[in-house]
Amino acid sequence: MVNKDVSPDAYRRFREFLEQQCGIVLGDNKQYLVRSRLAGLLYEHQLASMDELLGVAISGHNRSLLQQVIDAMTTNETLWFRDSYPFDLLINQILPELATKQRRLRIWSAACSSGQEPYSIGMSVLEFQRKSPAARSLSVEIVATDLSSNMLKKCEQGLYDELSLSRGLSADRRQRYFTQHESGMMQVSPEVRRMVSFRSLNLLHSYSMMGKFDIVFCRNVLIYFSTEIKQKILQQIAGQLQPGGILFLGASESVASAAESYRMVKCNPGLYYAKKD
């Protein structure tokens, strides 16, 4: 009989381990989340209990299991064009302004999860260029990063099932940007996929090799980190932004812990943060 319960001691050690490895802070009573996300690994690795699975992962002796545990605990399904206003601002305000000043644009989608955000950014760029034919010469590179290497491999394929497509994607965009794949799933069009490159990155580590960006999306991920780690991440992002570069955060997030690096720009609707010169 497999025991899926998590003992208080095993949960405490796993919480400390996860924060050290990924910066993610689990609450005091999130054992249910550990059980729901890791239960399948018990059977796959033929382990007798959740405590045993967590112990093996923490020990680092089974690198495959360790990666699977981290992937499972850090992967979140997201939406197409989530919150809508960042993409509306891109199409109608930010891209038109930047297109008059430069010919090359770099956008970073940090913690890209299952890929909907960077592909939504790519679709937004194409929609702007269709509205402004003079801007078609604008070269746009979208870099998408996440901790989960397995998820990134799936993102690169751009394959999504019906449930994923139903979350935030309009019928018009589905018809315009997706084609039927032989697997039965729908695939993001080559035109959009070519704009996006995927890389593995731990937000706790250095970003210096990423180069400079004009726009960074780091949304709905800071909520999982401690105040100290949030500050470090925001300061490091500021270091990768061009002067006046733009940062989008999630609706419930702010730059409070790194306010010296950013100024808030209120829009109607929504807001973003610009790097202080």
Side-chain angles (χ1 to χ4, degrees):
M1 177 73 106
V2 173
N3 184 358
K4 297 180 183 178
D5 291 335
V6 182
S7 69
D9 183 59
Y11 183 64
R12 176 188 58 78
R13 288 186 290 112
F14 184 62
R15 284 179 63 189
E16 294 172 354
F17 169 78
L18 196 63
E19 182 171 4
Q20 181 183 34
Q21 290 290 312
C22 315
I24 291 177
V25 180
L26 286 177
D28 291 333
N29 300 297
K30 298 285 187 174
Q31 289 93 331
Y32 73 90
L33 183 63
V34 175
R35 290 196 300 268
S36 64
R37 294 205 170 189
L38 302 184
L41 297 179
L42 283 172
Y43 302 98
E44 181 179 340
H45 291 270
Q46 298 182 331
L47 298 171
S49 69
M50 191 62 73
D51 280 11
E52 182 183 1
L53 185 150
L54 296 179
V56 173
I58 292 170
S59 73
H61 293 153
N62 186 328
R63 299 298 299 179
S64 174
L65 174 61
L66 172 60
Q67 186 62 56
Q68 286 179 291
V69 167
I70 290 176
D71 286 353
M73 295 304 300
T74 59
T75 297
N76 293 290
E77 183 74 14
T78 187
L79 311 178
W80 299 96
F81 296 88
R82 185 170 183 172
D83 300 324
S84 71
Y85 77 84
F87 306 97
D88 292 338
L89 286 172
L90 267 186
I91 296 168
N92 300 312
Q93 178 179 323
I94 296 171
L95 290 175
E97 291 176 1
L98 290 176
T100 64
K101 302 174 184 177
Q102 58 199 76
R103 288 300 175 200
R104 184 170 182 269
L105 188 67
R106 298 190 78 229
I107 304 175
W108 177 17
S109 170
C112 69
S113 187
S114 44
Q116 283 92 329
E117 180 175 86
Y119 285 135
S120 295
I121 295 170
M123 295 174 200
S124 299
V125 171
L126 292 176
E127 289 172 15
F128 159 67
Q129 290 178 323
R130 274 197 300 274
K131 289 174 59 177
S132 308
R136 288 176 184 169
S137 61
L138 179 67
S139 172
V140 180
E141 177 189 6
I142 302 166
V143 180
T145 65
D146 201 86
L147 183 61
S148 171
S149 55
N150 288 336
M151 181 58 73
L152 290 171
K153 291 177 183 176
K154 294 179 181 178
C155 290
E156 286 180 335
Q157 294 179 302
L159 293 172
Y160 296 92
D161 59 22
E162 288 296 329
L163 179 60
S164 297
L165 292 178
S166 70
R167 306 183 69 197
L169 190 70
S170 68
D172 177 66
R173 282 171 168 155
R174 172 177 172 144
Q175 182 177 15
R176 184 183 297 272
Y177 299 116
F178 288 82
T179 57
Q180 186 79 43
H181 188 263
E182 60 185 12
S183 65
M185 301 176 77
M186 298 297 287
Q187 186 171 38
V188 179
S189 69
E191 184 182 26
V192 177
R193 295 205 314 275
R194 280 195 296 268
M195 301 174 69
V196 185
S197 62
F198 292 92
R199 306 181 193 177
S200 179
L201 179 74
N202 188 328
L203 288 175
L204 301 188
H205 298 166
S206 171
Y207 315 157
S208 59
M209 299 298 290
M210 296 282 291
K212 296 289 186 178
F213 292 92
D214 302 282
I215 303 169
V216 174
F217 284 68
C218 185
R219 303 194 304 146
N220 306 298
V221 63
L222 294 181
I223 55 175
Y224 298 108
F225 298 131
S226 67
T227 300
E228 180 182 357
I229 293 175
K230 285 179 190 176
Q231 182 179 19
K232 176 185 176 184
I233 291 172
L234 288 167
Q235 288 173 339
Q236 288 194 165
I237 289 175
Q240 301 308 125
L241 277 170
Q242 299 282 10
I246 290 169
L247 170 64
F248 281 106
L249 296 180
S252 62
E253 299 168 327
S254 75
V255 297
S257 59
E260 71 281 357
S261 299
Y262 301 91
R263 60 181 176 84
M264 181 190 296
V265 179
K266 292 184 178 180
C267 306
N268 186 21
L271 59 86
Y272 61 82
Y273 298 92
K275 178 183 176 179
K276 291 181 179 178
D277 296 337

